[in-house]
Amino acid sequence: MQETSLPEEDIALPAASIAVSNPSVRKSAPAGLPPVWQSRYGIVLADASEKQLTQSLDAYGEWVEQELDLVGVLLEEGQVVLEYGAELGAHTLWLSRMVGPHGTVYAVEPDRLEHIALCSTLALNQVRNVHPIHASLGDSASEILSEASDGRPAEAVRQIELDSLRLGELNLLKINPRGALLSVLAGGDAVISNQMPAIYFRLSSAELAIKEIAALKGRGYRCWSHLPYLHNADNFLGSKTNVFPGSVSQNVIAVHKSRSADFGHLPEL
């Protein structure tokens, strides 16, 4: 993917006092400052976990760039996007650029530490058009337990409905956690029905995928399969090493049939 060219005033500048890690290696910053990665769209607070996301940011300075290639054709400046499962903010920074200073991105992240990292990344890049929200999106307002991960025990997380955000406009709903679509739809019936946003989400099991596609078609959506490779040969850091050989993400792009969007190069589901 070619880096999006935007007017100079639309590009947030990173804070000069933060030391950027070596382009291909995560390392501690001097004077007690936290390590960061230089990514394609800004600096990202580095994370010590060994997830595919962090491996990709460390090796390539980007994460599943082909997702952004596809989603980018749907976005215009001034629009409103909600990203669920924003994690460290690698895609959030790009979404912020795409909608520009008059657009808005709602970045919802249920994991407490990743939400803190997300907010740090936004602050380091002086991003002002993103609203970070620490919550889980679901079918009801309640308190749930997160899954234990990275040696951390399960934690209580506030669950909210998409409709509770009272979004007067929503052009794109990007759902990153696998298996989350149905519960998000259940809690967002009003905004989905009224705003008919494009929906991009990652699949989990084949059995659940059948239900997810049926739910979207029942709401008047057309769905296309998208298989972005985790490795991008034209990656930001210019690395020639493929740490994800043959790995793809099984995703779906869904657009309401009343919208003039057609992905003829993708198989329709």
Side-chain angles (χ1 to χ4, degrees):
M1 175 177 175
Q2 297 296 317
E3 186 168 356
T4 304
S5 176
L6 293 175
E8 183 175 348
E9 63 271 20
D10 289 350
I11 301 176
L13 300 176
S17 61
I18 300 298
V20 178
S21 64
N22 183 289
S24 61
V25 181
R26 185 195 306 121
K27 67 178 182 180
S28 297
L33 294 175
V36 297
W37 287 302
Q38 180 65 57
S39 78
R40 187 181 289 271
Y41 305 107
I43 52 179
V44 177
L45 190 69
D47 184 276
S49 67
E50 293 300 325
K51 298 186 297 184
Q52 288 181 325
L53 164 68
T54 56
Q55 292 175 29
S56 184
L57 285 168
D58 197 49
Y60 306 126
E62 61 185 41
W63 169 235
V64 201
E65 190 70 10
Q66 290 180 9
E67 284 192 359
L68 308 185
D69 284 335
L70 184 71
V71 173
V73 304
L74 298 171
L75 288 177
E76 299 176 3
E77 289 193 18
Q79 291 188 329
V80 178
V81 175
L82 188 144
E83 181 186 22
Y84 178 44
E87 299 174 307
L88 306 179
H91 283 186
T92 314
L93 292 176
W94 176 83
L95 291 168
S96 169
R97 288 188 176 203
M98 290 298 292
V99 302
H102 301 297
T104 303
V105 177
Y106 295 91
V108 183
E109 174 50 53
D111 184 276
R112 177 177 58 86
L113 295 185
E114 290 194 344
H115 173 72
I116 292 172
L118 167 67
C119 292
S120 299
T121 291
L122 297 175
L124 291 174
N125 291 276
Q126 302 176 21
V127 175
R128 295 180 174 86
N129 63 347
V130 175
H131 298 256
I133 301 170
H134 179 215
S136 174
L137 288 180
D139 57 4
S140 62
S142 61
E143 185 177 272
I144 63 173
L145 282 179
S146 67
E147 293 184 3
S149 63
D150 296 326
R152 294 188 288 130
E155 295 183 356
V157 180
R158 177 177 60 117
Q159 179 175 278
I160 62 174
E161 297 176 327
L162 176 58
D163 282 342
S164 70
L165 298 176
R166 301 183 183 279
L167 302 178
E169 180 181 354
L170 183 61
N171 303 103
L172 171 67
L173 174 60
K174 187 175 188 294
I175 302 175
N176 296 328
R178 300 184 187 279
L181 176 71
L182 293 180
S183 60
V184 173
L185 292 178
D189 189 63
V191 70
I192 300 297
S193 299
N194 295 332
Q195 303 299 330
M196 296 177 291
I199 301 174
Y200 187 79
F201 66 101
R202 298 169 181 166
L203 295 173
S204 55
S205 68
E207 181 180 0
L208 184 57
I210 293 172
K211 297 178 181 179
E212 291 171 330
I213 300 304
L216 287 170
K217 288 187 174 182
R219 288 170 167 79
Y221 278 79
R222 297 176 66 190
C223 303
W224 293 265
S225 173
H226 186 225
L227 304 176
Y229 281 90
L230 271 61
H231 173 254
N232 171 28
D234 190 28
N235 62 82
F236 176 66
L237 297 180
S239 173
K240 302 302 181 183
T241 302
N242 186 352
V243 300
F244 305 118
S247 296
V248 298
S249 181
Q250 295 182 315
N251 302 348
V252 171
I253 179 70
V255 179
H256 196 270
K257 60 186 178 183
S258 65
R259 308 297 192 193
S260 58
D262 192 351
F263 298 93
H265 63 293
L266 299 176
E268 186 165 1
L269 301 172

